[in-house]
Amino acid sequence: MEGVDYLADERKKAEFDVNEMKIVWAGSRHNFELSDRISKLVANDPGFSKEGRTMLPRKELFKNTLRKATYAWKRIIELRLSEEEAAKLRHFVDEPAFTDLHWGMFIPAIKGQGTDEQQKKWLPLAYKMQIIGCYAQTELGHGSNVQGLETTATFDPQTDEFVIHSPTLTSSKWWPGGLGKVSTHAVVYARLITNGKDYGINGFIVQLRSLEDHKPLPGVTVGDIGLKFGNGAYNTMDNGVLRFDHVRIPRDQMLMRVSQVTREGKYVQSDVPRQLLYGTMVYVRQTIVSDASNALSRAVCIATRYSAVRRQFGSQNGGQEIQVIDYKTQQNRLFPLLASAYAFRFVGEWLKWLYTDVTQRLQANDFSTLPEAHACTAGLKSLTTTATADGIEECRKLCGGHGYLCSSGLPELFAVYVPACTYEGDNTVLLLQVARFLMKTVSQLGSGKKPVGTIAYMGRIEHLMQCRSDVKQAKDWLKPSAVVEAFEARAARMSVACAQNLSKFDNPEEGFAELAADLAEAAVAHCQLIVVSKFIEKLQQDIPGEGVKQQLEVLCGIYYLFLLHKHQGDFLGTGYITSKQASLANDQLRALYSQLRPNAISLVDAFNYTDHFLDSILGRYDGNVYPKLYEAAWKDPLNQSDIADGFHEYIRPLLKQQLRTARL
Ligand SMILES: CCC/C=C/C(=O)SCCNC(=O)CCNC(=O)[C@H](O)C(C)(C)COP(=O)([O-])OP(=O)([O-])OC[C@H]1O[C@@H](n2cnc3c(N)ncnc32)[C@H](O)[C@@H]1OP(=O)([O-])[O-]
Ligand SMILES: Cc1cc2nc3c(=O)[nH]c(=O)nc-3n(C[C@H](O)[C@H](O)[C@H](O)COP(=O)(O)OP(=O)(O)OC[C@H]3O[C@@H](n4cnc5c(N)ncnc54)[C@H](O)[C@@H]3O)c2cc1C
């Protein structure tokens, strides 16, 4: 029945002010109002319909994405949307497109690595989309190892140009989004060679296609790399392949903020660190952490609503069966994911602050916080994307069989999301970067250099190496100080153990390679400590709204106690807690599940997702799942006729043959 809210009883159970929680989730009243307005604008515009998207063949799918992206741009201009509003609109259109890379990487690369003059020349064109750009770094042969890239940019002093060339098959650019079929320009990363010397990787702005007829320019070979994982999903994106055959660009198209080449061909390194060449990746990794909370909250919203609608077993005296959300096993799988969505939201907010802070410092030539910013963005990108990808798949399983239908929204969400574990840095490679930072910090302890920021706890290493948990009863695990110390002691002890093992090797690099798995685990422990600490810090702020803070405390408790339970081996093995204390943590976790249960639906309502954005029958706001699933099945192209195409060629002869055999 239309208009009935099947989840109304669940909503009545809420013990907190959902509207106030919506503001906490959005980050501010301004953000809430912005998201609310733009998401409804997109949902109510038929031009942004998602109908039938997963059924389209690649060519049509891609053309449809081009149509939507162009229509979005038209609406942005017509409605005179600000940059912030336009970004929200693209977010709620919810379809990976070339525009993601144009706005998300091409423009930030020019902003971060171009001189003022270069920015003045290129940014206005890019802002008006008079040129469309992508970020061409990865090659067929190398992605993680950026220093191993092979494309060359050789300076020709006679003509004052760089010659961009792909010397081998493996030097072909491979993967850049927006490159395959759309981009007119790219920021290309290539080895800078001048006066016969190789100065390593630098960025260059290279035009790829004609602005008139869109044909590849002479010397440029470019195309799409082919179909990717899942139906629809990331196939709306034209990830591309690109080869250069001695393509010439003017010298001033080398991005020259970090280093320059003079008219005479002299290489000049400015006083900014070379690592700023990697700045665009740091920026994007930071945005990926916030995106993780978007994707996970979406999956959790679907799984939570459906778990309240779905009933199995336990009917007594003809009464209703049990809602699957009431099974403790369902809660133990679902509620930590709900808590993680909130945890990633808050750590994402904090990381955005950290990134803004480091950017301001860099402008003032203060590079001191860059290593920490790199470690935090790399580590948290790795941690949150791994947990989110696994979490979306868990949500699919939490929805039983129906979760496997595309109409649940979960298969497509998963297929679009999983490459986040790989792009912007493979998650293991990034954890090893964090481990390097940790080992460096441990090796400097006692040198007089005081660890600060997220690594400040290492300054209390003597205490953290010998302290023991003083938890005596389950509710002691609700004390923030008890929890933070537990996570600090575990992280510090794992790092120190790695450092001690490393010191047994004559060659530190050999040691690092041999101990890489332990080092990655130490990095995870450090990153989990950051997420837990930032959640606890959030709770120390003034949070208005009846019951809102209490719900967040429950979520925070579930987040850290679930981690403590999952990684019990670390906490016990490093000797900080006893098995009795581990068991008390588990008792407290179960108690928190019971406290969360009546609020579960309202906690996912606080995400404020429209049905258009969720695009899931199982996650519908009104919970009207079964009639809509039934209705959707009949829309499948296979159901356009009672008799299947192919019946006469294949099924009928088979049946006839069986009839003949039966008669024999
Ligand atoms: C929407 C989807 C779009 C997707 C787009 C993409 O995927 S685009 C493609 C995305 N592609 C990828 O993400 C590729 C992933 N690969 C990489 O980012 C790099 O190759 C690497 C970091 C793994 C190694 O780097 P390396 O070979 O240069 O060697 P090294 O380890 O020896 O480090 C040397 C020093 O630099 C430091 N440092 C390093 N990075 C940063 C940084 N960002 N900032 C600041 N600092 C940084 C590091 O800590 C060390 O400091 P120390 O100890 O000397 O004080
Ligand atoms: C959907 C998608 C979009 C992308 N968009 C872009 C884009 O717009 N622009 C762009 O330039 N690139 C893009 N990329 C490329 C992406 O950044 C790389 O694929 C990524 O950095 C991983 O590098 P790789 O493919 O070389 O993996 P590899 O490094 O080859 O990884 C293979 C395996 O080796 C392991 N491994 C590698 N090195 C080490 C090590 N040192 N220690 C331990 N284990 C190691 C990894 O953990 C992994 O398990 C995109 C990729 C995808 C999937």
Side-chain angles (χ1 to χ4, degrees), residues 3 29 121 196 237 291 387 413 479 532-533 557 571:
R29 186 171 292 278
K121 175 173 171 187
M237 184 71 85
D291 280 347
L413 185 59
K479 278 193 274 175
V532 168
S533 310
F571 289 91

Side-chain angles (χ1 to χ4, degrees), residues 160-182:
D160 197 21
E161 289 171 318
F162 282 105
V163 181
I164 312 287
H165 186 59
S166 313
T168 58
L169 178 72
T170 46
S171 71
S172 309
K173 293 292 172 190
W174 191 272
W175 271 119
L179 166 69
K181 291 287 152 193
V182 181

